[in-house]
Amino acid sequence: DKLFNEKYAPAAEKYFPVIKKYIKDAGNGYLVKGGPTWVDFYFAEFFDTLNNLIPDFYKTNPEFKKLTMPFGQVPVLEVDGKMLPQSFTINRYLARKYGLAGKDDFEQATVDAIGDSVMDFFNEFREWFLVAHGFAPGDKDKLYKEKYVPAAEKYFPVIIKYIKDAGNGYLVKGGPTWVDFHFAEFFDTLNNLIPDFYKTYPEFKKLNREEGVQIGIDRHTFIFMVI
């Protein structure tokens, strides 16, 4: 409470009126007249954090609540002034737009099923993952054996079978899709946490963007990969 009064309150009194003036001058609920920018996303996340710490923060500063994202979190994709939330929804939207969703309806459904499975997999070993990254306390080695190993034994054979059946180094026969990019990033993360991960699962290394099958990348695909 003392630090709140001595540090936060004076800083808020100094900076918040400036931010509110930008919002008022823009006249569209954002910080500039041209519409949402990266700084709107940044402040939306920042203000949500303050709202969780300070009772009635948004009641005191209603202008800031207008900056909050759909579902109160990032990422979001701005399309013609409209906000699209949720990372997998964004993935699928861009994939359909730029030919990375699958070659036909059934393949698209297969790609979506593979993508959804990674979230099921992650949820089963989330506790180990957070501890391994230092985001939570716990016994990393114990959680590795109890959480990660059973999940890997359950899901990885399924993913390997998709790659084998596709026969082209990707997850489906039609070629690279958004889920290949997603898994490439996911497996790189695991490779940084687990010694010899790619030696144990060489099939997954082929999905790595540096090591793997050549993919023609234009500026749209690059944007998709970044997201």
Side-chain angles (χ1 to χ4, degrees):
D1 292 338
K2 182 183 177 186
L3 289 173
F4 178 89
N5 292 327
E6 292 181 355
K7 299 294 183 180
Y8 169 81
E13 290 174 359
K14 178 179 179 180
Y15 289 101
F16 284 178
V18 178
I19 298 169
K20 290 177 182 179
K21 187 176 186 304
Y22 275 114
I23 296 172
K24 183 178 179 180
D25 290 347
N28 55 8
Y30 300 113
L31 284 156
V32 294
K33 292 181 179 180
T37 67
W38 69 269
V39 81
D40 292 277
F41 303 146
Y42 177 84
F43 270 112
E45 189 78 9
F46 177 61
F47 291 146
D48 274 350
T49 300
L50 291 180
N51 187 58
N52 290 330
L53 295 172
I54 302 170
D56 297 328
F57 176 80
Y58 280 138
K59 288 184 180 180
T60 307
N61 303 283
E63 303 90 342
F64 298 160
K65 187 170 178 61
K66 296 176 183 178
L67 292 177
T68 56
M69 300 294 101
F71 301 114
Q73 63 186 27
V74 292
V76 293
L77 177 69
E78 188 268 330
V79 182
D80 298 328
K82 296 174 287 188
M83 310 303 284
L84 183 66
Q86 299 297 319
S87 58
F88 271 31
T89 299
I90 294 170
N91 286 345
R92 288 163 177 150
Y93 170 81
L94 292 173
R96 288 193 297 270
K97 192 173 180 66
Y98 297 114
L100 291 166
K103 66 179 182 180
D104 55 38
D105 289 343
F106 187 81
E107 189 168 278
Q108 288 180 22
T110 300
V111 168
D112 287 346
I114 297 170
D116 289 339
S117 73
V118 76
M119 295 309 300
D120 294 334
F121 172 46
F122 179 74
N123 286 333
E124 291 193 16
F125 75 83
R126 177 191 296 270
E127 189 177 356
W128 165 78
F129 187 83
L130 294 175
V131 172
H133 271 290
F135 297 147
D139 187 329
K140 181 177 68 173
D141 294 335
K142 183 172 183 285
L143 289 170
Y144 175 86
K145 294 176 182 177
E146 292 180 354
K147 300 293 183 179
Y148 169 81
V149 171
E153 291 175 350
K154 178 180 179 180
Y155 288 99
F156 283 174
V158 178
I159 302 303
I160 290 171
K161 186 176 187 304
Y162 276 115
I163 296 172
K164 183 178 179 181
D165 289 347
N168 55 9
Y170 300 115
L171 284 156
V172 293
K173 291 182 179 180
T177 67
W178 69 269
V179 82
D180 291 280
F181 299 136
H182 183 81
F183 269 108
E185 189 72 20
F186 180 59
F187 291 146
D188 274 353
T189 300
L190 291 180
N191 186 58
N192 290 330
L193 293 173
I194 302 169
D196 297 328
F197 176 80
Y198 279 138
K199 287 184 179 180
T200 306
Y201 301 102
E203 301 90 346
F204 298 160
K205 189 171 179 62
K206 295 176 183 178
L207 293 177
N208 179 283
R209 288 192 294 275
E210 294 180 359
E211 180 73 15
V213 182
Q214 294 297 311
I215 300 173
I217 298 176
D218 61 18
R219 65 185 182 90
H220 301 303
T221 306
F222 175 74
I223 292 171
F224 167 75
M225 288 171 63
V226 169
I227 290 176

